[in-house]
Amino acid sequence: MSAQYEGGCQCGNVRYQVTGEPRQVVACHCTDCQRQSGSAFGMTMVVDEAVFRITRGEPAIYRSVSSSGRAKIGAFCADCGTRVYHQPEWRKGTISVKPGTLDDTKWLQPQLHLWTRSKQPWVIIPEGVESHERQPA
Ligand SMILES: [Zn+2]
Ligand SMILES: [Zn+2]
């Protein structure tokens, strides 16, 4: 049996399904992620594009370019504004699901922390978890 994860926006008008194991769960502490999440860091669950599909509604799409010059597509619910996923143009074939939108978030734990030089001082990265001050090359 293959893995299956489901999630959706806050109002429920956009729903999605992931039918494969995520590649990685990442916490990014860069100032772009802090701003876009309105929180201390952004979380991403990287999945292969082939195992991700929208099962309800149609997300609205925008394109943005980060301060490091990399562009991504952002998909959000036009009714409630919840950001559902990103599609980075520099990482073809993958979808960056915003994993706080999963129905079950209990298992979520970042395996990688990025841009820790701008992380909030009270965020303590567990010992042994990979972290980088910036984006590794
Ligand atoms: Zn919604
Ligand atoms: Zn970031």
Side-chain angles (χ1 to χ4, degrees), residues 9-13 77 79-80:
C9 68
Q10 203 170 10
C11 78
N13 285 351
C77 172
D79 295 319
C80 71

Side-chain angles (χ1 to χ4, degrees), residues 21-101:
E21 282 304 332
R23 289 192 190 187
Q24 203 171 34
V25 176
V26 182
C28 183
H29 303 265
C30 81
T31 51
D32 282 341
C33 286
Q34 289 172 350
R35 189 175 290 271
Q36 65 159 40
S37 66
S39 184
F41 53 85
M43 264 174 87
T44 291
M45 178 175 87
V46 183
V47 303
D48 289 328
E49 196 175 7
V51 301
F52 178 86
R53 70 188 181 101
I54 295 291
T55 54
R56 183 183 170 160
E58 198 178 322
I61 300 289
Y62 71 94
R63 185 174 180 273
S64 66
V65 180
S66 77
S67 48
S68 56
R70 302 198 301 179
K72 67 174 179 241
I73 298 297
F76 62 98
C77 172
D79 295 319
C80 71
T82 304
R83 199 179 283 254
V84 177
Y85 69 87
H86 292 160
Q87 189 160 28
E89 291 180 3
W90 69 89
R91 202 165 51 206
K92 292 277 182 221
T94 66
I95 299 276
S96 298
V97 178
K98 298 277 104 186
T101 62

